[in-house]
Amino acid sequence: MKRKLLLLAALLFWLSGNIHSQTSLTLEECYLKARDNYPLIKQKEYIELSKEFSVSNIWKGYLPQINISAQATYQSDVTSLPISFPGIKIESLTKDQYKTVVDLTQVIYDGGIMSSQAGMQKSIAESENQKLEIELLKIKERVTQIYFGILLLESQLAQLNLVKQDLSASLSKLSAALENGTATKTNVDILKAEELKTLQKEIELKSARKNFMDILALLLNQKLEEPIKLKTPEFNGLLPSEELNRPELKLFLFQSQIIEEQNGLANSKILPKASLFFQGGYGKPTLNMLKNEFDWYYITGARVNWPLSNLYSFGNEKEILELNKKTIDTQRESFLLNTSINLKQYYNEIEKLNSLIEVDKKIIEIRTSVKESAKSQLENGVITSNDFIRELSAEDQARQNLAVHNIQLLLARQNYLITTGN
């Protein structure tokens, strides 16, 4: 019995931990789930498989190349000797001729063509991978905007609850004062109307939060049932290094490598090529043209081929590749400049928000003191409900400003991180 109780307790503990993990989400978890759920992620596997097949096919060029052909012909005339010898009959070839041939070629040296082609296929695959990473980065940016949008709405809802508590407490005391004849019905009704306005605002904020949560659920491919809590990211006071780790930079690198491989391929085209060959066949006639009968035959040897005609276009190919390389360098410089501008803007935004938050805290301290004083005056009949609501709204606005600036600061820091690629 004791063992069963222990097992039950362990099961309940596991379930409680599992439930807990399902009621909270971190920003990093959202990034991973959105990435894994995005349909384009499947292309990574396809790109890798395509690269492996392409490279494998290229290197198979070093395997013996075999070609089988067969031919049957009939011709109008054949070779014959215009002389005759007494007692010797030289049989003429028949006009119908046949042959079946197997050609086998083994590359010894191809000038580096296959090596350049294999390297180019690998760089092309890596380039495609980085293009995919750029698209996935856009999903990360979208998740960031939605995630912090939800955090902002939750912060505003939390502040709204404080306003509701103040209104409820004041309305309760003022209603009691009305029953005792020390307060007017107008002041009570004004507070009730303000309470209803607060309820309207709460409905709007909750509706906006639900909309954002539904979008996030679609991106994560996961049901986000209430009560679910998005954890606020924690940052230390220091900004990360501005060293970039962006997929765009890797894309430029692999594009440059493609050009280097194309350059090597252009060089290979003008180099001599060497191979061994073997040709064997069966037919009539064979290599002995005076033997008019079916027989086996073969030819074997080595071959050197030097395609000098490729020199005609070699210079232009080099110029084109150099222009392509300069184009990539220009794109890379433009990207670095734009990224530096964005980082500077985020840095200045972070500095501004840090300063605003310090001022917000001082304003809230003053506004809270004024509101508490107004609350006491309202309860003692010194001021009207409108006067109290004005001070309550001023404090609420100050707190809302702080909430917005805090979330904006977190968002600016996260955008800084994303922009650096870290």
Side-chain angles (χ1 to χ4, degrees):
M1 183 68 181
K2 186 176 181 181
R3 184 176 180 181
K4 289 183 178 179
L5 288 173
L6 288 173
L7 289 173
L8 180 60
L11 178 62
L12 290 173
F13 178 79
W14 179 84
L15 287 173
S16 64
N18 195 41
I19 292 172
H20 175 73
S21 66
Q22 294 175 351
T23 57
S24 64
L25 269 176
T26 66
L27 183 57
E28 287 300 322
E29 287 174 339
C30 289
Y31 286 157
L32 292 174
K33 290 180 180 180
R35 179 187 174 89
D36 291 341
N37 181 58
Y38 197 57
L40 279 180
I41 195 68
K42 298 175 184 176
Q43 286 189 12
K44 277 189 166 291
E45 181 182 357
Y46 306 152
I47 291 170
E48 181 62 25
L49 289 174
S50 179
K51 180 197 73 174
E52 290 177 2
F53 289 138
S54 298
V55 172
S56 176
N57 284 340
I58 290 169
W59 287 120
K60 284 177 181 178
Y62 272 116
L63 296 176
Q65 305 302 303
I66 303 171
N67 182 52
I68 300 175
S69 63
Q71 180 177 301
T73 62
Y74 184 87
Q75 55 199 61
S76 61
D77 200 3
V78 293
T79 302
S80 63
L81 292 175
I83 58 174
S84 62
F85 299 95
I88 300 175
K89 184 181 178 181
I90 300 175
E91 186 178 349
S92 297
L93 297 176
T94 56
K95 293 183 179 180
D96 57 317
Q97 299 183 3
Y98 310 89
K99 65 178 176 179
T100 300
V101 180
V102 175
D103 284 306
L104 187 148
T105 303
Q106 174 63 59
V107 174
I108 299 175
Y109 176 67
D110 71 342
I113 289 179
M114 281 185 271
S115 177
S116 295
Q117 288 176 333
M120 190 161 60
Q121 285 297 326
K122 292 177 182 178
S123 295
I124 288 173
E126 292 296 342
S127 294
E128 292 301 316
N129 258 324
Q130 295 311 313
K131 289 178 183 177
L132 185 57
E133 288 295 337
I134 292 171
E135 291 301 316
L136 291 172
L137 187 61
K138 294 177 183 177
I139 294 299
K140 187 175 184 179
E141 291 170 349
R142 189 172 185 185
V143 169
T144 301
Q145 296 298 322
I146 294 171
Y147 193 95
F148 282 96
I150 294 171
L151 290 181
L152 176 59
L153 291 168
E154 289 178 345
S155 179
Q156 290 175 324
L157 281 167
Q159 170 54 30
L160 197 63
N161 282 330
L162 295 177
V163 175
K164 286 169 62 179
Q165 291 173 13
D166 279 331
L167 283 172
S168 178
S170 296
L171 183 59
S172 177
K173 290 184 179 180
L174 214 59
S175 295
L178 176 62
E179 292 177 2
N180 295 328
T182 58
T184 65
K185 186 175 183 302
T186 299
N187 281 338
V188 174
D189 288 342
I190 289 173
L191 288 183
K192 287 181 178 179
E194 189 64 24
E195 196 173 44
L196 291 174
K197 283 174 62 179
T198 304
L199 178 61
Q200 282 184 325
K201 190 173 181 181
E202 183 180 33
I203 292 171
E204 290 177 352
L205 291 173
K206 286 183 176 180
S207 176
R209 180 184 180 276
K210 182 181 181 303
N211 184 45
F212 276 34
M213 290 294 288
D214 288 344
I215 296 173
L216 185 60
L218 288 173
L219 288 171
L220 306 186
N221 192 28
Q222 175 184 340
K223 289 187 69 176
L224 301 178
E225 297 179 350
E226 299 295 345
I228 189 161
K229 178 69 176 175
L230 301 187
K231 294 184 178 180
T232 303
E234 296 181 1
F235 294 97
N236 55 34
L238 300 175
L239 285 174
S241 168
E242 290 189 12
E243 182 179 354
L244 298 183
N245 188 30
R246 292 282 295 242
E248 291 89 344
L249 294 178
K250 295 178 182 178
L251 174 60
F252 296 140
L253 174 62
F254 289 121
Q255 286 177 336
S256 296
Q257 288 182 3
I258 291 173
I259 292 177
E260 290 299 323
E261 298 296 345
Q262 289 174 332
N263 190 55
L265 188 59
N267 292 333
S268 299
K269 289 179 180 179
I270 62 172
L271 294 176
K273 317 296 186 293
S275 62
L276 300 175
F277 70 91
F278 173 87
Q279 184 184 82
Y282 182 78
K284 183 188 76 169
T286 59
L287 299 179
N288 184 356
M289 298 298 293
L290 298 179
K291 189 177 181 181
N292 189 30
E293 60 183 55
F294 284 95
D295 200 359
W296 296 96
Y297 68 93
Y298 73 89
I299 303 173
T300 187
R303 182 185 294 120
V304 175
N305 179 38
W306 197 346
L308 295 176
S309 59
N310 287 330
L311 288 169
Y312 301 154
S313 58
F314 180 73
N316 287 341
E317 283 188 41
K318 288 286 190 177
E319 289 295 332
I320 292 171
L321 292 174
E322 186 61 28
L323 288 173
N324 290 340
K325 186 176 180 180
K326 289 180 179 178
T327 299
I328 293 172
D329 290 340
T330 301
Q331 292 173 346
R332 184 178 184 277
E333 290 173 6
S334 298
F335 173 77
L336 289 174
L337 175 60
N338 291 329
T339 303
S340 297
I341 292 172
N342 290 336
L343 286 175
K344 180 57 68 176
Q345 289 176 334
Y346 286 132
Y347 180 83
N348 291 336
E349 180 75 4
I350 290 169
E351 291 294 306
K352 180 193 75 174
L353 289 167
N354 278 323
S355 299
L356 287 174
I357 287 171
E358 291 302 315
V359 177
D360 285 335
K361 292 176 181 178
K362 294 177 181 178
I363 293 174
I364 289 172
E365 186 178 346
I366 295 171
R367 286 297 182 186
T368 300
S369 176
V370 173
K371 181 211 68 177
E372 290 298 328
S373 176
K375 184 178 181 180
S376 177
Q377 290 174 346
L378 173 65
E379 293 167 0
N380 292 320
V382 178
I383 61 174
T384 65
S385 294
N386 282 328
D387 296 326
F388 170 69
I389 289 172
R390 183 177 64 251
E391 301 304 333
L392 179 63
S393 297
E395 184 205 28
D396 176 49
Q397 186 61 54
R399 291 186 180 277
Q400 293 284 4
N401 289 341
L402 177 61
V404 169
H405 291 155
N406 274 325
I407 298 300
Q408 285 178 338
L409 176 61
L410 292 174
L411 178 58
R413 286 176 171 175
Q414 190 63 28
N415 284 332
Y416 190 98
L417 279 172
I418 293 174
T419 303
T420 60
N422 296 310

